[in-house]
Amino acid sequence: MLRSERKSFRRFLALYALLMLGIFSLASYVYYRAQEQLMLTGVKSRMIDYAAEQIRRLRELHYAFPFERTYPRDPRFRSAIYDLEYVRIFSTLHSDRVDFLRDIYRRDGYVYFVKLLDSYYLGAKYLFIEVPEDRRWLTVTLERILIAGLILGALMAVLGYFLARLFLRPMRRSIELLDRFIQDTTHELNTPLSAILGNIEMIESRRLEARDRKRFERIALAARTVSTLYEDLKFLTLERHRPPEDEPLDMKALLEERLEFFALAIRSKQITLERDLAPAQRVADRRLMARLIDNLLSNAIKYNRRGGMIRVRLRPRILEIEDSGIGMAPDEVAEIFQRYRRFSESEGGFGLGLDIVRRIAEHYGMTIDISSEKGEGTRVRVIWESDHA
């Protein structure tokens, strides 16, 4: 799966998970409220009986006042009375935070029932009855929600995976068609490109007139550009399963050879080339390292400005290629290694080069560090810590 596919896949699953979580949370809340209401309904009948008993005691106390001043209490519940202005007259409740708008509710581990008094015994209009809440219903409810969440979560995860695959199928089909087209194109390019390059090598440009030499150099430049693209296509389509043939490489000699290959392209854009090449050895497949170097140099030339600069620096464990080209924004740098990803429509190519660089670097355990600034240029550093055997 390509990085773009993985990114779309993750986004779809994240959106799907968020949607399913929202639906499950809403359903869980509705179920929780229903169970809470069921519990309150079961407690309410008992609290109505308690309220009736307390009202009878308040009536007796009302008529016996002031000879009897002891507020009636009951070991089964606590109570409180409030007047018409919501002012507390007397209370044995655990909390003074009471709600006059609901007839029954739960708070802080207790259930409260509110009864409006028809007769103002002791000046009271509201009677509150408080009993401890039996929280077994809450434990059972949460267990059921958790079990349902685990079962539905597993089912939704499987369903989401298949929906995501179905969602990506058109993209995958398009990529497969593009890959097949590239593979067929690569086969067709082989013979004519070999003939063109072979004939170019046979022509001695020094014997041509100045005007013809300039035309010849343009043809040679175009042929080498196509050759670079062809090598990338061949690497991805025809040789990607070919096992590497590692050998000790003289990186300096290989780099000088590839710079010579691109010399005509560098001259055509009047680019100043600065070399700082120290001897360096590396155990690797020559073909793979050539592809890595070619793609980095090709990008440095392609996205450079006319009359710009390219600086190539080689050290025993570092290859650095810096250009003064168009540069990239930080978000573009983060996506630069995606296959078919291009940030400049004015330049040719399929967006394959840096994907190939990434594959080769990962195979040999190399680190690629790219620093770039829009309009200022780009610096690519390839770092290897130890020889790959």
Side-chain angles (χ1 to χ4, degrees):
M1 188 179 292
L2 298 177
R3 287 192 176 185
S4 58
E5 292 180 287
R6 290 197 297 268
K7 190 174 182 179
S8 299
F9 187 76
R10 287 194 297 266
R11 286 180 175 176
F12 175 85
L13 287 183
L15 182 62
Y16 175 81
L18 187 62
L19 179 62
M20 290 299 102
L21 180 62
I23 294 175
F24 179 74
S25 298
L26 179 61
S28 299
Y29 176 76
V30 172
Y31 176 74
Y32 169 82
R33 296 294 294 180
Q35 293 301 111
E36 179 187 44
Q37 194 60 41
L38 185 63
M39 181 274 296
L40 291 176
T41 301
V43 175
K44 186 175 182 179
S45 59
R46 178 161 53 96
M47 300 186 76
I48 290 175
D49 294 338
Y50 292 162
E53 291 184 26
Q54 190 70 0
I55 291 172
R56 179 181 57 78
R57 294 167 181 169
L58 290 175
R59 183 174 63 248
E60 292 175 355
L61 179 61
H62 177 81
Y63 289 117
F65 194 84
F67 302 104
E68 178 62 43
R69 295 172 177 269
T70 303
Y71 182 81
R73 293 167 172 81
D74 194 298
R76 297 170 298 174
F77 61 87
R78 292 174 178 266
S79 65
I81 52 177
Y82 286 77
D83 65 13
L84 189 62
E85 302 296 328
Y86 309 123
V87 176
R88 183 183 62 189
I89 299 174
F90 193 86
S91 173
T92 62
L93 303 180
H94 285 90
S95 173
D96 293 330
R97 294 189 304 120
V98 292
D99 188 345
F100 293 90
L101 301 180
R102 295 182 290 176
D103 65 334
I104 188 168
Y105 62 93
R106 50 186 290 267
R107 175 183 292 163
D108 300 331
Y110 295 92
V111 179
Y112 297 87
F113 173 71
V114 186
K115 174 69 176 177
L116 272 69
L117 303 180
D118 297 327
S119 300
Y120 289 81
Y121 299 126
L122 301 178
K125 179 60 178 176
Y126 300 95
L127 170 65
F128 284 85
I129 302 296
E130 174 196 274
V131 297
E133 178 187 354
D134 185 355
R135 300 178 69 87
R136 286 179 295 180
W137 74 273
L138 181 59
T139 302
V140 172
T141 299
L142 294 179
E143 286 178 352
R144 289 175 179 174
I145 291 176
L146 178 60
I147 293 173
L150 293 175
I151 296 174
L152 290 177
L155 294 176
M156 291 300 102
V158 174
L159 179 61
Y161 176 80
F162 285 104
L163 286 177
R165 300 289 295 187
L166 186 64
F167 169 76
L168 290 175
R169 185 174 296 174
M171 180 187 297
R172 164 55 61 181
R173 185 171 299 172
S174 298
I175 293 175
E176 288 176 353
L177 289 174
L178 181 57
D179 286 342
R180 192 176 301 121
F181 168 76
I182 291 175
Q183 186 171 356
D184 294 341
T185 303
T186 304
H187 278 291
E188 296 298 326
L189 279 175
N190 185 26
T191 301
L193 184 59
S194 298
I196 293 172
L197 292 175
N199 282 278
I200 288 176
E201 293 297 329
M202 293 174 62
I203 298 175
E204 296 184 15
S205 61
R206 290 175 297 179
R207 296 186 178 183
L208 299 176
E209 296 181 3
R211 185 177 60 179
D212 293 334
R213 186 184 304 117
K214 190 172 184 179
R215 292 174 179 172
F216 171 78
E217 288 181 350
R218 289 177 180 172
I219 295 173
L221 176 60
R224 291 190 177 186
T225 302
V226 175
S227 175
T228 302
L229 178 58
Y230 170 77
E231 291 297 331
D232 285 344
L233 296 177
K234 186 171 68 171
F235 175 83
L236 288 174
T237 59
L238 305 179
E239 299 182 353
R240 59 182 175 180
H241 300 302
R242 171 182 163 186
E245 299 176 0
D246 293 346
E247 59 179 317
L249 290 180
D250 184 341
M251 293 296 294
K252 180 179 179 182
L254 179 61
L255 191 56
E256 288 176 341
E257 175 189 311
R258 304 324 297 167
L259 285 171
E260 180 62 28
F261 179 82
F262 286 101
L264 186 58
I266 293 173
R267 287 199 306 271
S268 69
K269 293 189 74 168
Q270 301 175 0
I271 294 173
T272 301
L273 176 63
E274 298 180 10
R275 311 178 186 212
D276 182 8
L277 308 181
Q281 299 292 323
R282 174 70 184 171
V283 177
D285 188 311
R286 181 182 181 85
R287 172 182 58 96
L288 296 183
M289 296 308 297
R291 296 267 34 83
L292 183 144
I293 294 171
D294 282 5
N295 278 295
L296 294 181
L297 288 175
S298 176
N299 283 345
I301 297 169
K302 184 189 303 183
Y303 298 108
N304 213 326
R305 64 175 185 270
R306 182 170 293 276
M309 174 275 300
I310 293 178
R311 182 180 295 111
V312 180
R313 180 173 174 267
L314 178 65
R315 290 295 181 267
R317 303 198 185 281
I318 295 176
L319 169 62
E320 181 177 296
I321 298 178
E322 182 179 358
D323 65 68
S324 59
I326 60 176
M328 294 176 288
D331 58 327
E332 294 176 335
V333 173
E335 300 179 358
I336 195 62
F337 293 110
Q338 295 184 23
R339 190 193 292 191
Y340 306 128
R341 190 71 168 92
R342 296 169 56 201
F343 299 102
S344 175
E345 298 300 327
S346 62
E347 300 295 339
F350 290 98
L352 303 174
L354 287 180
D355 176 62
I356 293 175
V357 170
R358 175 187 61 81
R359 289 167 180 254
I360 297 172
E362 288 179 352
H363 174 75
Y364 287 112
M366 297 176 174
T367 301
I368 302 178
D369 176 55
I370 298 181
S371 59
S372 184
E373 187 174 346
K374 201 74 172 178
E376 297 295 328
T378 302
R379 185 190 68 182
V380 181
R381 302 181 74 198
V382 181
I383 305 167
W384 54 94
E385 298 299 330
S386 59
D387 286 339
H388 180 84

